Amino acid sequence: MPVTPTATLRTPRMVRGLPFLGSLLEWRRDHLGVFMRAYQEYGPVFSIQLGPMRGTVLIGPEYHEFFFKEVDRTLSVPELYRFVVPMFGDVMMAATDKDRRRRHVTLLQSAFQGGRLAHYTDLVTQEVDAWLDRLGDGGQFELWESVEPMVMRIAASALMGPEIRTRVDEFRPLLVDLARGMEFVLPPNLPLPRFYRRDRARRLLTEMLRPVLTERRRAPGAHADFLQTLVDDAELRAEGDDVQIGMALCTLFTGYITTAAQACWTLVQLLRNPSYLTALVAELDAAQSGATGCQHAGSAAAFRTPRLEWAVKESVRLRPVMGHYARTNMQDYELDGFLLRRGWLTMLCPSVAHRLPEVFTDPERYDPYRFAPARAEDKRHPHALIGFSGGFYRCPGQAFGSNEIKVLLAGLLSHFDLTPLDAEPDSDFDLGVTRPRSPCIIRYQRRRAVG
């Protein structure tokens, strides 16, 4: 609650760090390591300095509940998201007007519901089937270099439509340049090469999309993708092309990059745990046998295998792709006897919160069965698992992304035997999400005909 500072309140202890920089350099190398060591030394409430930014980190489901409830009240959203304005403009989470920001997010939520989700899943299956066909009978592939472009093709097809899907090889490198210009700490207008490439990419992507918007407006409702949702919305249309293009690019980027990273981690963990993988493949085979005659047997199997659902959840628990969530304190406020300063950040760290033994049994162990109905450890608290954030700003594309991962893995594991991995790859943070560092080589051999 808001407070007037008094001598009885204390600021949470600050993690020791370098002058001026604080923990910034270590945080850039290893998000989880920084937060985990701080939690072990200082407990569930501690402060951290990341360059010019200072924040207080809250660890635990009860604090998660407070965080999500107080967003747009005690805690403010857009200040922290100003770093995306050079990439996408003043849209969605970065929109400074609360009503406009919430309207953008509500529109995004509506695009991933009901029949739209089923339509997207059909497109996902088509793209996955085409990727599997290209793999041939056996060989090897580098995990990120194979999965990331394939997920981009899915996102282009499902969210942007055929006009962009046919130009995806031109579109994708520009979007990557845009992403590599992402900067949480430094001023976004410094004369740095990556910022020049970011601005060039935004200009060229806008030039690519503007004529598509013009054509789409001549045939309202002609397409079932997200871009058509943006084009047909009267209020958004009144905000102009730049806003529609910014929302399209922002949704495409965040949806594809997080899904690609989580899909890679899920596969890595399965290949590190052969006994669970064997049980999952047997379940997929049984489901696929019952789906004989379906157009896309792999897709049908994906939604009939609880073990695959549990494996995705366990990946989100152990390897959430978002290193932290943060909001700006609108005023001084008190929490559990601590004073949290106005203008500082309030932060959550999923990777640490998902490893609390009071929430998850033997939390360092890979154990997807913890999500089976008999245990349901994620149901112990409504905010125990926060890999997709929570509250009003919870990831609108969660179901779409989860379905995409399940279709991808169901198809891959149904068609191929994969060689287990001897070691788990290190983490890479270069695109704003935590992903397996390359190279991570996956070896495969076709196992049998499917469908």
Side-chain angles (χ1 to χ4, degrees), residues 57-106:
V57 182
L58 308 177
I59 305 293
E62 291 77 15
Y63 290 128
H64 304 164
E65 184 172 18
F66 164 83
F67 181 95
F68 296 130
K69 182 182 69 174
E70 291 299 320
V71 168
D72 282 338
R73 297 165 61 181
T74 307
L75 308 178
S76 181
V77 174
E79 290 83 359
L80 190 68
Y81 283 87
R82 302 313 293 168
F83 73 91
V84 305
V85 171
M87 300 165 62
F88 308 120
D90 184 33
V91 300
M92 294 205 288
M93 301 285 276
T96 52
D97 180 80
K98 175 183 173 181
D99 291 339
R100 181 168 168 266
R101 179 171 64 252
R102 287 190 162 238
R103 180 163 49 80
H104 287 181
V105 173
T106 299

Side-chain angles (χ1 to χ4, degrees), residues 271-283:
L271 296 181
R272 294 279 294 139
N273 293 273
S275 62
Y276 189 85
L277 177 60
T278 298
L280 169 58
V281 170
E283 191 174 51

Side-chain angles (χ1 to χ4, degrees), residues 420-442:
L421 290 173
D422 294 330
E424 187 163 305
D426 292 334
S427 298
D428 202 319
F429 311 101
D430 67 327
L431 291 172
V433 296
T434 305
R435 65 174 179 88
R437 179 167 295 167
S438 298
C440 178
I441 302 301
I442 307 298

Side-chain angles (χ1 to χ4, degrees), residues 127-177:
E127 293 286 354
V128 169
D129 286 350
W131 177 63
L132 296 174
D133 288 343
R134 289 193 295 271
L135 290 179
D137 290 331
Q140 64 182 40
F141 60 83
E142 203 291 315
L143 180 60
W144 181 255
E145 291 180 0
S146 293
V147 171
E148 181 265 333
M150 191 265 294
V151 174
M152 166 61 82
R153 291 192 292 271
I154 291 172
S157 181
L159 302 181
M160 306 295 279
E163 302 96 330
I164 300 303
R165 175 61 184 88
T166 57
R167 302 178 65 182
V168 70
D169 291 339
E170 175 186 357
F171 187 90
R172 176 176 161 267
L174 293 174
L175 196 67
V176 171
D177 278 349

